[in-house]
Amino acid sequence: MTEVVDTSTVLQVSDLSITFASKRGRVSALEGIDLDVQAGEFITIAGPSGCGKSTLLKAVAGLTAPSGGSVHLRGDPVTGPRQDIGFVFQRAALLEWRNVRGNILLQAEMRGMNMRKAQERTDELIEMTGLSGFERALPHELSGGMQQRVSLCRALLHEPRVLLMDEPFGALDALTRERMNVEFNRIWSQTGTSVLLVTHSVAEAVYLASRVVVMSPRPGRIIEEHVVDLPARRDYAETLESSEFHRVSSRVRELLGSPSDAD
Amino acid sequence: MTVTDQKSGGSPSGSNGRSSVAGGFLRWWLQSWHPIVFLAVVIVLWWLVTAQGWVQPYIIPAPSDTWAAFAENAEYLLQHTWVTTYETLIGFAIAGVAGLLVAVIMVYSKGLEKTFYPVILFAQVIPKIAIAPLFIVWLGFGAAPKILVAVLMAFFPVVISGLAGLRSVDPEILQLVSTMGASRLKVLLKVRLPAALPELLSGLKVAATLAVTGAVVGEFVGANEGLGYVILQANGILDTAMLFAALIIMSVMGVVLFAIIQIAEKFLIPWHASRRDVAAATVRF
Ligand SMILES: Nc1ncnc2c1ncn2[C@@H]1O[C@H](COP(=O)(O)OP(=O)(O)OP(=O)(O)O)[C@@H](O)[C@H]1O
Ligand SMILES: [Mg+2]
C-alpha cells in the first residue's frame, strides 16, 4: 500500500486538542499538539502540573478520545484502546489482591502469552528493578516507589514496541531514581523501543531523552523541542557533566520557569 | 537481598515459648470476651427478672424452663430446625447465584439495567408476608414456597452489593486491561469479580440473615413443619418456653450463617483494608 505515513514514523500527532466537559464547565487540556516520533526515539515530556501530559499519553494509547485533530500510531489511526503498547500510569494502578508477581503476570494472562516464558521474564524484571525478595508481597505492603516499579515491570513484560510512561519514577528516592534511569537507558538503547515518558525532573528528562518536549501551562501546547545530541547509551556522571546536557537542561529549566532543579 | 519471609499475615504475637493450647485459648478469649460477657449479663438479668417473679412465666419463661424445653423436645426441635435450615440454605444459595448473575448483567448492559432495576425494586418493597399466601396457592404446602420467600428476601442485598462491588474497580485499571486486549470474560473473572468480593460479601452477610427470616415467614403462612410452625404451635397453647427455644435456635442459625461468611472473608479477601492487621493496630478516627 502507498500510505502517506512513513514507516519509520511510529507516532504522528497532528493538531490534537482535547477538551473535557464537566459540570463546572469546559476545561481545555490540550490545544494544537503536533508531534512526530521516529522509531526508536526516546521522547521525554516536561511541563507544569495540569498542562495535559497525562492526557496526551492517554490520547496516544487510545484511552481518551480527541476533541480535534488525529493520532496515528504505527501507521494506523488511533480510534480505541491500543494493544501494541505498554502503559505505565501515573498512579501505579495495581490489583490489590495480587502479589508482585501476580500483578506483573496479569499482562501475560490477559494477552494469553506463553506463561513459562512470561514467568522467566518476570523474574528477570523483578531482579532488574530491585524487587527481589518481595515477589509475594501485596501492593499494600509495598512503598509507593516499589509499587511504581511493579507497574513498570508489568508494562515491559510483553516487550512492546512503544512505551508510554507517566512519571514512572516519580515516587522514587533520588538514588534509586538514578539507578532506574541508568538501567532504563540501557534497556532502551539495546531494544530500540520507542518511548514517550512524562517527567517533572529536568535532569531525568535530559539524561533519558533523544528529544525533550516542553509544554506550556494549560491549555497545553508544545512550546519547544530539543534534540539531545548525545549517544544513545549514556554514562550517568559523564552525561551530567557534558556541555550538551547543560545546554539543554538550562534551556528546559528556563522554559519551565524554575530557578533550580526541583528533584 | 536480605528480605526473607515477611509474608503471611504478620500478627505481632508469635509463638513465644508458652504452651500453644493455653496461648491459643488466651488469645481467643482476649479477642472474644466482649460478646460472651455481655451474653452472660443478659442471661443473669433474664434469670433475675423471672426468679423474682417480676413478670409472669407465660410472658417471659425462666431460663431454666427454656432449657428444659430444649432438653425435653430435643428431637422434635432438631427435626424442625433441619427443615428450616434446608429451606434457608437453598433460598440463600439461589439468591446468591441469581443475584450475582443479575448484577453482572446489569453492569454490562445499560438497557437491561434499566429494565431490571424497577422490577427488582418492586419485588423488594412488596411485603413478603403479604405475598407468601399466594406462593402457597401456586406452589403448595411443601418447601418450595418457603424457599421462594427466602430467595425474595435475600436477593436484593446481593444484587445491590454485587452491583456496587463490580462498579468499584478503579477506572484506570479498566483502562489498563483494555490495553491488554483481554476478553470481557477474562476481565470479569480476573478483575471485576475479585474487586467486587468485599462489597459482595457484605451483601451476602445481610442476605444470610434475611434468608432465615424469609424461610420462617413462609412457614408462618402455611406449613406443618419447620421452626415457624413450631412457633405457631407453641403460641397457640401459650407454651412460651418452647417459643423462646425456637426463637433462640432461629437466631443462632442466622448468626452461624453470618459467621461462616465472616470466616470465608478471611480467606477470600485477606488483601482488603477491612481485614488487614494494621487496621486493628491503627488509631480509630
Ligand atoms: N477525566 C477528566 N475529566 C475532566 N477533566 C480532566 C480529566 N482528566 C484531566 N482533566 C483535566 O485536564 C487537565 C490536564 O490534566 P492532566 O492529568 O493531563 O495533567 P498533567 O499534565 O498530567 O498534570 P500532572 O503533572 O499534575 O500529572 C487538568 O486541568 C485536569 O483537570
Ligand atoms: Mg499527569
Side-chain angles (χ1 to χ4, degrees):
Chain A
M1 264 209 308
T2 47
E3 264 283 354
V4 196
V5 187
D6 175 2
T7 42
S8 69
T9 304
V10 157
L11 174 67
Q12 202 170 49
V13 180
S14 347
D15 198 25
L16 174 73
S17 54
I18 290 184
T19 306
F20 290 108
S22 73
K23 288 194 191 87
R24 271 162 280 106
R26 300 167 72 78
V27 178
S28 177
L30 293 173
E31 235 175 62
I33 301 281
D34 285 303
L35 180 68
D36 278 13
V37 180
Q38 306 306 309
E41 260 195 301
F42 198 130
I43 307 289
T44 56
I45 303 168
S49 179
C51 75
K53 304 181 294 297
S54 300
T55 308
L56 176 58
L57 286 200
K58 287 195 175 175
V60 171
L63 299 173
T64 301
S67 318
S70 68
V71 179
H72 282 75
L73 188 62
R74 303 179 75 207
D76 309 315
V78 173
T79 51
R82 289 295 287 247
Q83 286 141 35
D84 48 351
I85 53 155
F87 203 113
V88 180
F89 284 85
Q90 190 164 359
R91 296 178 301 123
L94 302 178
L95 300 182
E96 277 182 280
W97 56 90
R98 284 184 168 230
N99 62 25
V100 168
R101 275 185 77 86
N103 264 292
I104 299 172
L105 282 168
L106 180 76
Q107 184 81 258
E109 290 171 31
M110 289 303 199
R111 287 175 186 272
M113 290 163 61
N114 176 331
M115 284 315 280
R116 231 296 212 44
K117 272 198 199 136
Q119 288 184 350
E120 275 167 27
R121 180 145 172 79
T122 301
D123 292 336
E124 283 169 29
L125 288 167
I126 286 177
E127 174 77 39
M128 185 196 89
T129 49
L131 288 167
S132 304
F134 290 92
E135 289 88 348
R136 300 181 59 194
L138 290 172
H140 74 88
E141 297 166 319
L142 300 175
S143 71
M146 291 163 88
Q147 294 181 3
Q148 272 191 327
R149 280 179 273 166
V150 177
S151 139
L152 176 66
C153 293
R154 185 178 59 193
L156 292 174
L157 186 68
H158 56 302
E159 302 180 347
R161 304 295 303 146
V162 179
L163 261 174
L164 307 170
M165 311 171 84
D166 200 347
E167 302 189 35
F169 309 125
L172 298 181
D173 64 279
L175 272 176
T176 314
R177 189 167 189 161
E178 273 177 27
R179 270 223 324 273
M180 294 296 298
N181 280 178
V182 173
E183 191 61 36
F184 199 62
N185 172 255
R186 185 184 63 76
I187 297 173
W188 169 70
S189 63
Q190 286 171 359
T191 56
T193 311
S194 314
V195 186
L196 241 70
L197 180 144
V198 170
T199 179
H200 278 290
S201 156
V202 175
E204 182 173 279
V206 181
Y207 170 73
L208 288 174
S210 49
R211 183 152 47 112
V212 184
V213 169
V214 185
M215 290 176 66
S216 68
R218 209 186 63 230
R221 304 161 190 272
I222 294 176
I223 40 177
E224 268 186 40
E225 292 182 25
H226 286 276
V227 173
V228 181
D229 192 9
L230 289 169
R233 184 87 177 93
R234 295 169 192 178
D235 178 81
Y236 197 78
E238 221 170 78
T239 305
L240 260 66
E241 280 161 17
S242 69
S243 59
E244 177 68 358
F245 179 89
H246 276 280
R247 181 186 69 80
V248 180
S249 54
S250 49
R251 181 60 189 152
V252 171
R253 209 158 278 146
E254 210 175 298
L255 288 170
L256 294 176
S258 67
S260 66
D261 203 349
D263 55 318
Chain B
M1 280 282 137
T2 45
V3 191
T4 47
D5 186 19
Q6 44 80 252
K7 270 253 68 252
S8 77
S11 93
S13 57
S15 53
N16 45 2
R18 221 194 288 112
S19 129
S20 62
V21 177
F25 178 77
L26 187 70
R27 211 167 323 129
W28 173 81
W29 175 253
L30 286 176
Q31 272 174 15
S32 42
W33 65 271
H34 295 89
I36 294 173
V37 167
F38 180 68
L39 195 66
V41 168
V42 168
I43 292 176
V44 167
L45 279 178
W46 178 13
W47 169 79
L48 201 70
V49 161
T50 50
Q52 296 294 314
W54 292 337
V55 289
Q56 292 301 309
Y58 72 87
I59 294 178
I60 299 179
S64 55
D65 292 342
T66 308
W67 177 249
F70 270 118
E72 285 158 23
N73 306 291
E75 204 176 317
Y76 170 80
L77 281 171
L78 204 66
Q79 178 203 333
H80 291 286
T81 302
W82 165 242
V83 172
T84 306
T85 307
Y86 163 86
E87 293 162 356
T88 302
L89 287 181
I90 296 197
F92 174 65
I94 293 176
V97 172
L100 184 57
L101 215 65
V102 167
V104 167
I105 291 169
M106 282 165 82
V107 162
Y108 280 104
S109 161
K110 198 101 211 121
L112 286 176
E113 183 189 354
K114 279 186 185 154
T115 317
F116 280 161
Y117 221 109
V119 180
I120 291 169
L121 192 64
F122 184 70
Q124 167 65 11
V125 295
I126 277 189
K128 304 300 171 298
I129 189 94
I131 199 176
L134 189 62
F135 293 161
I136 304 242
V137 173
W138 289 348
L139 300 168
F141 274 93
K146 288 88 176 175
I147 293 172
L148 188 55
V149 180
V151 170
L152 272 189
M153 293 280 275
F155 184 68
F156 195 68
V158 179
V159 176
I160 297 299
S161 65
L163 210 49
L166 291 166
R167 291 225 167 100
S168 71
V169 189
D170 179 352
E172 282 203 335
I173 288 186
L174 291 177
Q175 290 189 334
L176 176 83
V177 293
S178 75
T179 71
M180 297 177 176
S183 65
R184 279 181 164 195
L185 184 68
K186 256 188 187 170
V187 176
L188 175 68
L189 293 179
K190 296 196 184 232
V191 179
R192 279 202 190 261
L193 278 179
L197 272 181
E199 298 254 15
L200 184 65
L201 284 162
S202 297
L204 285 176
K205 282 195 250 182
V206 178
T209 61
L210 289 177
V212 179
T213 313
V216 173
V217 164
E219 289 164 356
F220 273 171
V221 176
N224 44 21
E225 50 180 0
L227 289 174
Y229 165 79
V230 171
I231 288 175
L232 280 187
Q233 292 293 308
N235 215 19
I237 54 171
L238 281 185
D239 184 355
T240 332
M242 181 66 108
L243 201 145
F244 262 56
L247 279 177
I248 290 171
I249 294 175
M250 267 176 54
S251 321
V252 169
M253 261 173 63
V255 171
V256 166
L257 260 180
F258 186 93
I260 289 173
I261 299 170
Q262 188 104 347
I263 291 166
E265 278 188 342
K266 211 181 217 158
F267 296 99
L268 288 173
I269 51 167
W271 48 271
H272 192 246
S274 66
R275 300 229 60 93
R276 287 178 207 155
D277 285 346
V278 279
T282 318
V283 182
R284 286 169 193 241
F285 292 99

